[in-house]
Amino acid sequence: MSTAPRTDPQSHTPHVADSHELIRVQGARENNLKDVSVEIPKRRLTVFTGVSGSGKSSLVFGTIAAESQRMINETYSAFLQGFMPTLARPEVDLLEGLTTAIIVDQERLGANPRSTVGTVTDVNAMLRILFSRLGQPHIGSPQAYSFNVASAHGAGAVTVERGAAQKAERRSFSIVGGMCPRCEGMGRVTDIDLSALYDDSKSLNEGALTIPGYSVEGWYGRIFSGCGFFDPDKPIRKFTKRELHDLLHKEPTKIKVDNVNLTYEGLIPRIQKSFLSKDREAMQPHIRAFVDRAVTFTTCPDCGGTRLSEAARSSKIKGTSIADACAMQISDLAEWIRALDEPSVAPLLAALGATLDSFVEIGLGYLSLDRPSGTLSGGEAQRTKLIRHLGSALTDVTYVFDEPTIGLHPHDIQRMNELLLRLRDKGNTVLVVEHKPETIVIADHVVDLGPGAGVAGGTICFEGTVEKLRSSGTLTGRHLDDRATLKKTVRTPTGKLEIRGATSHNLQDVDVDIPLGVLCVVTGVAGSGKSSLLHGSMPADAGVVSVDQGAIRGSRRSNPATYTGLLEPIRKAFAKANGVKPALFSPNSEGACPNCNGAGVIYTDLAMMAGVATVCEECGGKRFQAEVLEYHLGGRDISEVLSMSVTEAEEFFGAGEARIPAAHTILRRLADVGLGYLSLGQPLTTLSGGERQRLKLATHLGEKGGVYVLDEPTTGLHLADVEQLLNLLDRLVESGKSVIVIEHHQAVMAHADWIIDLGPGAGHDGGRIVFEGTPADLVAARSTLTGEHLAAYVGA
């Protein structure tokens, strides 16, 4: 593609408008960036590389994309800006040549239990219109086919003012919705085990309630003991039917306790509102454990899990209801739509067909529209967002991708590469943060950040072509052509984990023996059934510790020390050494600076403009009261400890006066997963995706359980870090653990003792075991897609 500037036909000189061929960044200082200046060519594919935590996302997302979006938002009126997310100006001296940025990131799609693939992509909206026009029998408007709209009817008198007179008129209304009344559009009903809610041998004042947060001393204890509907000193097993009903099922009722107006509500409706309205993955671990213990979810018997009312299911087009259409695999649904020849809705059918074809083209044809959006992996969510942009006629747009190859089999990466190049060839600037060499090599321009991570990163190590990167001597350049070799010898299993008749999602009655005591890799194209096999079909008594790709949730007050439980033994050691309470050494409790409430900064809200954060003058950003900082352990105060890196802290708490074995164990796990550079007090919100995944892995390493199931642990890992991960997996196996890994990275496959390959395709074309054996046997046979790609990778 030529970038030669056009010339004015009369003057034969380049037009000034054609001189803006670069995005210029000068003096970027977001997060760990160290005054970075870089020039990025427009209408080209630029890949940003570097170890996890080197500053790639800070440059691409936190600086370039953030400023582009902020400037677009500023073009709207102040009234509209008040409803939009406020974005602060990035820490940068100069940004020139920006174009409109479209961000396609890895953030999971909303984990709202009412959200499905069909609702987040607007395909359901188009299907509802289609059925409201063609469905027989006709049952109403598009909302009659929506599982999020409840039917409602009403009638009554209204007073109408006409001039000086007032007249009473009778009015009625009727809304026909498609929501199943039994499950309220959720597709499942809940059954609550009462024995998990309370100990009926105790009274409420004796602590009968075993629900998290419902202690006698707490707010709920005050409501239950003072409501007057039952005796709080009487054991629950002696309650009358009326008292038990009031405890469990009473409707919201206004009460007064100690002259405070409160609302009393039975335990079960309160639990349903506070716990069960959230997606399970969005819950805190202790709440999730309670829900798993107390609540059983079963498919709604009235709607069969379709979420739709009987009327919505009865209306059909050529024998197919909207529930049937949403349950179809998208590739099959696309064919069904193409077969409909209805001129009256031709534009709708064309738009619907194009969207469904985009799903197939991007490798998501195996999904169905009724799949809950919270169950999509990060890679699937990212590609689902990309669908909106595939057919777009926009040009000169900056597309920003965050590791688009995550969750993709080598076979699918080629397809993703073609999409990236197609976006570029339409005249767009494509910026990609990526670790996979298959995508790095198609770049027109490479920007390599580093040399290390965290404070050791944040500088530009290299800019130029892929060929020059190879000879540059940078960490990425040295490892770009790394290829793993097959293991000469494999370990012998010590046992097996039997899975029989697995039918979860698309699995087709799978029987498989997973070897124990070895490193077992489960592979196959995206959608072949890997997660269904390992997360949905494992025996309940297998003692499995599962580390999935679910996002870490935490506020700016959360940090590695709080998330891993490291702060607890440190606080206790400080308290013991100084003869004071442990709560003093938490910035979220009694030791917090009163001026900033332990945040370290003061936030000033500026309405529709971005809020301003200024360092707290009283504590200087240390987050603690001055008197707390006078207490020391091993010559350091608590704020100095929180500013240490994991490596420094591991040495500090490993010996001498500050020796804390419990803290040292946690720190060693963090170092093992390659997070030695992280600061203990760094807010979780500033960590990259790869860092969060490894932080999660480090916390799970301490759990009891003989079988570890890891879901794509190479996510966000630089080529140079994959070797460290393989060493960690080897150490786990050698310590007597069984490690099962869902993985697409060929280096992990080559390092395995045993491979289970699912396929041959995705969706209903997958769900079968197509190979079981050693990596060497897989390469020799080349009978599957995985075998072909692994053979090419190892050069066999």
Side-chain angles (χ1 to χ4, degrees):
M1 192 175 87
S2 170
T3 56
R6 295 192 306 276
T7 55
D8 190 303
Q10 293 177 338
S11 64
H12 300 289
T13 57
H15 195 287
V16 67
D18 295 318
S19 63
H20 304 286
E21 293 296 314
L22 297 169
I23 296 174
R24 291 186 178 85
V25 181
Q26 287 183 14
R29 295 178 298 279
E30 274 295 301
N31 297 325
N32 67 331
L33 295 179
K34 295 171 182 169
D35 217 22
V36 164
S37 296
V38 64
E39 292 187 343
I40 301 160
K42 286 187 184 176
R43 293 177 285 282
R44 292 290 182 274
L45 173 60
T46 300
V47 174
F48 294 79
T49 61
V51 296
S52 179
S54 60
K56 305 182 297 297
S57 296
S58 299
L59 177 60
V60 179
F61 292 93
T63 305
I64 298 169
E67 180 64 356
S68 171
Q69 289 209 316
R70 188 186 72 84
M71 295 179 88
I72 290 168
N73 287 1
E74 283 188 350
T75 63
Y76 298 109
S77 67
F79 173 74
L80 280 178
Q81 286 183 53
F83 294 97
M84 300 169 82
T86 53
L87 300 164
R89 188 181 187 281
E91 284 283 315
V92 61
D93 293 336
L94 180 69
L95 274 170
E96 284 183 341
L98 290 180
T99 65
T100 303
I102 292 174
I103 298 173
V104 188
D105 59 19
Q106 285 176 40
E107 285 299 313
R108 294 291 181 98
L109 291 166
N112 185 318
R114 293 188 177 281
S115 176
T116 65
V117 170
T119 60
V120 298
T121 55
D122 296 335
V123 176
N124 265 27
M126 290 191 274
L127 268 182
R128 292 199 297 268
I129 298 169
L130 183 69
F131 273 85
S132 71
R133 301 297 186 270
L134 303 179
Q136 292 297 329
H138 178 73
I139 61 168
S141 68
Q143 67 184 14
Y145 298 89
S146 171
F147 56 76
N148 286 327
V149 178
S151 294
H153 312 278
V158 295
T159 303
V160 181
E161 291 188 9
R162 290 203 178 101
Q166 290 188 342
K167 186 179 178 183
E169 293 183 5
R170 184 169 178 77
R171 296 275 175 89
S172 64
F173 75 94
S174 178
I175 297 170
V176 180
M179 178 186 287
C180 168
R182 171 81 179 267
C183 63
E184 298 183 352
M186 305 291 271
R188 57 185 188 173
V189 288
T190 56
D191 189 21
I192 296 178
D193 177 6
L194 299 182
S195 66
L197 305 187
Y198 55 76
D199 179 350
D200 67 357
S201 66
K202 294 180 180 177
S203 69
L204 292 173
N205 282 344
E206 289 171 335
L209 299 183
T210 54
I211 307 165
Y214 284 63
S215 65
V216 183
E217 301 81 18
W219 185 248
Y220 288 122
R222 190 174 170 186
I223 293 175
F224 282 101
S225 61
C227 66
F229 299 125
F230 34 71
D231 182 358
D233 291 314
K234 181 159 79 170
I236 292 177
R237 66 169 56 150
K238 294 185 178 177
F239 274 23
T240 63
K241 279 188 179 178
R242 179 73 192 171
E243 287 174 329
L244 196 58
H245 176 271
D246 287 347
L247 174 67
L248 296 175
H249 302 288
K250 195 169 184 69
E251 293 292 312
T253 308
K254 298 288 183 189
I255 60 170
K256 206 167 200 172
V257 178
D258 299 336
N259 289 323
V260 178
N261 291 321
L262 300 169
T263 300
Y264 174 86
E265 188 175 18
L267 283 177
I268 288 177
R270 189 174 280 279
I271 286 170
Q272 285 173 329
K273 283 178 188 173
S274 60
F275 295 163
L276 303 188
S277 62
K278 294 180 184 173
D279 184 74
R280 181 183 174 278
E281 297 305 314
M283 297 173 184
Q284 294 171 286
H286 67 291
I287 302 286
R288 191 186 309 154
F290 164 73
V291 169
D292 289 346
R293 188 173 68 245
V295 184
T296 52
F297 298 94
T298 53
T299 301
C300 174
D302 286 10
C303 68
T306 62
R307 305 167 178 242
L308 292 160
S309 65
E310 189 177 353
R313 287 178 280 126
S314 69
S315 178
K316 297 183 178 181
I317 301 174
K318 294 189 175 178
T320 299
S321 70
I322 190 168
D324 299 331
C326 290
M328 281 185 197
Q329 188 166 305
I330 286 174
S331 55
D332 296 340
L333 180 60
E335 289 180 22
W336 182 76
I337 291 289
R338 270 194 291 276
L340 295 177
D341 183 19
E342 295 288 344
S344 62
V345 290
L348 180 63
L349 289 173
L352 194 50
T355 305
L356 294 173
D357 287 341
S358 294
F359 270 101
V360 178
E361 184 183 4
I362 207 165
L364 293 178
Y366 60 87
L367 296 178
S368 60
L369 296 180
D370 60 5
R371 170 95 173 254
S373 59
T375 65
L376 298 183
S377 70
E380 287 171 332
Q382 188 173 28
R383 284 180 286 155
T384 301
K385 293 174 196 170
L386 180 58
I387 284 163
R388 291 179 182 274
H389 311 298
L390 283 183
S392 171
L394 291 172
T395 60
D396 262 329
V397 170
T398 300
Y399 285 96
V400 187
F401 290 89
D402 189 5
E403 292 189 57
T405 59
I406 278 181
L408 291 186
H409 188 271
H411 171 70
D412 299 315
I413 290 177
Q414 183 61 39
R415 188 187 278 166
M416 177 56 77
N417 284 350
E418 287 167 7
L419 288 171
L420 295 175
L421 293 171
R422 207 169 84 202
L423 285 172
R424 177 202 67 184
D425 292 347
K426 276 167 55 177
N428 298 305
T429 305
V430 182
L431 309 182
V432 183
V433 172
E434 190 52 86
H435 292 293
K436 292 274 175 70
E438 296 97 321
T439 300
I440 295 172
V441 296
I442 66 163
D444 301 306
H445 190 73
V446 179
V447 178
D448 190 24
L449 283 98
V455 293
T459 60
I460 302 287
C461 298
F462 170 82
E463 290 179 77
T465 61
V466 177
E467 288 71 28
K468 288 179 181 172
L469 174 67
R470 282 194 169 97
S471 57
S472 65
T474 65
L475 194 63
T476 307
R478 291 199 305 273
H479 289 273
L480 189 60
D481 295 315
D482 276 5
R483 293 293 179 266
T485 54
L486 295 173
K487 287 164 83 167
K488 290 185 174 64
T489 57
V490 294
R491 301 179 183 93
T492 305
T494 57
K496 63 184 179 182
L497 193 64
E498 294 184 0
I499 294 177
R500 295 289 179 266
T503 55
S504 177
H505 293 122
N506 66 328
L507 294 178
Q508 299 179 22
D509 202 25
V510 167
D511 293 340
V512 65
D513 291 336
I514 298 176
L516 298 177
V518 298
L519 175 59
C520 176
V521 172
V522 178
T523 186
V525 296
S528 59
K530 304 181 297 297
S531 295
S532 301
L533 181 67
L534 293 188
H535 296 312
S537 309
M538 278 284 192
D541 58 351
V544 171
V545 175
S546 183
V547 187
D548 61 16
Q549 287 188 19
I552 285 177
R553 287 172 176 83
S555 69
R556 55 182 173 238
R557 287 180 175 274
S558 305
N559 53 50
T562 57
Y563 182 79
T564 58
L566 172 66
L567 194 57
E568 195 62 27
I570 292 176
R571 285 166 51 201
K572 286 178 179 172
F574 264 95
K576 188 177 178 183
N578 294 282
V580 291
K581 289 193 294 184
L584 282 175
F585 301 98
S586 169
N588 300 325
S589 186
E590 291 181 28
C593 164
N595 190 43
C596 62
N597 293 323
V601 289
I602 306 287
Y603 292 94
T604 309
D605 183 14
L606 298 177
M608 79 284 182
M609 298 182 75
V612 175
T614 51
V615 176
C616 173
E617 293 179 4
E618 196 149 315
C619 66
K622 292 184 176 179
R623 304 175 67 188
F624 292 92
Q625 298 172 23
E627 51 268 33
V628 173
L629 300 180
E630 291 174 9
Y631 299 121
H632 289 79
L633 177 69
R636 302 285 186 98
D637 65 44
I638 186 69
S639 73
E640 289 173 325
V641 167
L642 288 176
S643 64
M644 286 181 182
S645 69
V646 167
T647 309
E648 285 177 78
E650 186 184 4
E651 190 178 326
F652 180 71
F653 291 115
E657 184 193 337
R659 184 173 176 273
I660 308 173
H664 188 258
T665 303
I666 295 171
L667 289 162
R668 192 169 65 248
R669 287 190 205 119
L670 287 169
D672 282 345
V673 296
L675 293 177
Y677 60 87
L678 272 192
S679 157
L680 302 186
Q682 184 176 338
L684 288 188
T685 50
T686 65
L687 299 189
S688 69
E691 287 169 334
R692 292 180 195 182
Q693 169 94 345
R694 283 181 286 156
L695 184 61
K696 197 173 182 182
L697 175 57
T699 59
H700 285 291
L701 288 180
E703 290 185 21
K704 291 183 173 67
V707 182
Y708 281 89
V709 175
L710 310 182
D711 196 347
E712 295 188 52
T714 59
T715 298
L717 281 191
H718 187 265
L719 303 161
D721 294 327
V722 173
E723 195 173 329
Q724 185 176 358
L725 175 73
L726 293 176
N727 291 336
L728 172 65
L729 298 181
D730 278 341
R731 284 205 303 276
L732 279 173
V733 174
E734 281 151 19
S735 69
K737 308 284 187 188
S738 301
V739 180
I740 306 165
V741 184
I742 298 173
E743 192 52 84
H744 295 293
H745 202 297
Q746 295 101 318
V748 181
M749 294 181 206
H751 199 73
D753 298 306
W754 192 258
I755 285 184
I756 297 171
D757 195 16
L758 278 93
H764 58 48
D765 297 325
R768 296 187 290 275
I769 303 289
V770 291
F771 176 83
E772 292 178 80
T774 64
D777 291 341
L778 178 62
V779 166
R782 299 192 194 206
S783 56
T784 68
L785 278 172
T786 306
E788 288 174 20
H789 284 280
L790 184 58
Y793 180 82
V794 298

